[in-house]
Amino acid sequence: MQNSCILCDFDGTITEKDGLYSFFSQYASKNWIEVERLWEEGKINSKECLKREFEFIADLNEELIVNYLYTIKIDKYFKDFYFFVNNKNIDFYIVSDGIDYFIEKILKINKINNIKIISNHFEFINGDFKITFPNDSKTCINNSGTCKCTVLYEMKKKYKSIIYIGDGISDYCVCKKADKLYAKNVLSDYCSKNNIKHTKFKNFKDIIQDFKTISI
């Protein structure tokens, strides 16, 4: 069994802002806001939320998406962090309830390669888009598109400890199950209110500094 691995959220964690939220804000009709609210309140699951929100975008096409993704910035210290964990031979996975299409292209734009991605799948077929959920689970409490808890449980079969990094609502359930947790934004507030042990961070430079003081 290997020592440790890192599971890391993407939108709002590696990126400076939630790329999907910003995308819908710019291109979807105002109806998407109500759908997002229903998801935040737990009245619909993330699978239904994603499908419905994309349907509110008129004339959705690859050129529109790619042009938009060039505007998304990542944490300026993330490359340093990824280089640091690679040198330490720590396995690193992006685990996201967003979509691989966005993640892969943002990483490519920033010249970041060979990161393992566990996420929902998005593709264009004959000019139309299709979203599928290869990482959902029948046992998922929230019926999420990507069940992060199931991913973590599977990783626990291979690694002695799991480090989790996140920032938002999709991390609420899984954050309680990590051996070491780094949290910011809404996730940090949630952990503080619910007495969940975590290390608050502002950017990946903070995590690099903390890694230097602990045994991984």
Side-chain angles (χ1 to χ4, degrees):
M1 183 174 283
Q2 299 179 58
N3 202 26
S4 300
C5 83
I6 299 168
L7 305 181
C8 184
D9 176 56
F10 187 75
D11 283 298
T13 301
I14 291 174
T15 58
E16 291 185 354
K17 62 182 178 182
D18 187 318
L20 275 174
Y21 189 95
S22 176
F23 182 70
F24 294 130
S25 295
Q26 290 186 48
Y27 297 107
S29 67
K30 292 183 179 179
N31 295 326
W32 85 273
I33 298 173
E34 174 62 15
V35 174
E36 186 77 5
R37 183 186 65 79
L38 291 173
W39 171 70
E40 290 174 350
E41 294 177 356
K43 295 178 180 177
I44 62 172
N45 61 52
S46 63
K47 290 184 280 190
E48 182 178 352
C49 180
L50 266 178
K51 286 181 176 179
R52 288 174 62 180
E53 287 178 338
F54 269 105
E55 289 171 355
F56 291 133
I57 301 175
D59 301 320
L60 182 65
N61 60 76
E62 289 187 83
E63 183 180 6
L64 181 148
I65 293 177
V66 172
N67 288 340
Y68 163 76
L69 294 178
Y70 269 95
T71 71
I72 298 299
K73 296 180 180 179
I74 63 170
D75 185 310
K76 64 181 179 180
Y77 298 105
F78 177 71
K79 283 187 178 181
D80 293 338
F81 171 80
Y82 188 54
F83 180 77
F84 178 87
V85 297
N86 272 338
N87 279 349
K88 294 282 187 180
N89 293 316
I90 303 169
D91 288 345
F92 179 88
Y93 302 82
I94 289 173
V95 184
S96 170
D97 204 19
I99 56 175
D100 53 5
Y101 188 97
F102 278 48
I103 296 169
E104 290 167 0
K105 290 194 178 300
I106 290 171
L107 292 176
K108 185 176 180 180
I109 288 167
N110 286 277
K111 296 180 172 58
I112 301 171
N113 303 307
N114 303 319
I115 293 185
K116 300 165 186 143
I117 300 168
I118 302 169
S119 184
N120 304 317
H121 180 64
F122 178 100
E123 63 182 319
F124 281 96
I125 301 174
N126 298 324
D128 199 5
F129 73 90
K130 182 179 180 181
I131 301 176
T132 54
F133 305 95
N135 301 294
D136 62 357
S137 171
K138 293 180 180 179
T139 62
C140 182
I141 295 172
N142 300 314
N143 197 19
S144 299
T146 295
C147 181
K148 295 184 177 184
C149 293
T150 298
V151 173
L152 183 141
Y153 290 142
E154 288 300 311
M155 294 299 177
K156 279 186 174 288
K157 297 175 183 178
K158 297 166 53 180
Y159 301 93
K160 293 179 182 177
S161 67
I162 308 296
I163 299 165
Y164 193 85
I165 306 170
D167 85 303
I169 295 173
S170 70
D171 306 309
Y172 282 3
C173 189
V174 70
C175 76
K176 305 166 189 174
K177 302 170 177 67
D179 298 292
K180 173 73 175 175
L181 173 65
Y182 293 92
K184 67 175 182 176
N185 299 338
V186 173
L187 181 61
S188 179
D189 295 339
Y190 173 83
C191 290
S192 296
K193 290 177 183 177
N194 291 279
N195 297 313
I196 299 170
K197 186 177 179 181
H198 68 288
T199 300
K200 187 174 182 178
F201 76 101
K202 181 180 179 181
N203 54 48
F204 279 90
K205 182 179 181 180
D206 296 338
I207 303 178
I208 294 171
Q209 294 303 317
D210 193 63
F211 271 20
K212 292 178 179 179
T213 67
I214 62 175
S215 176
I216 305 173

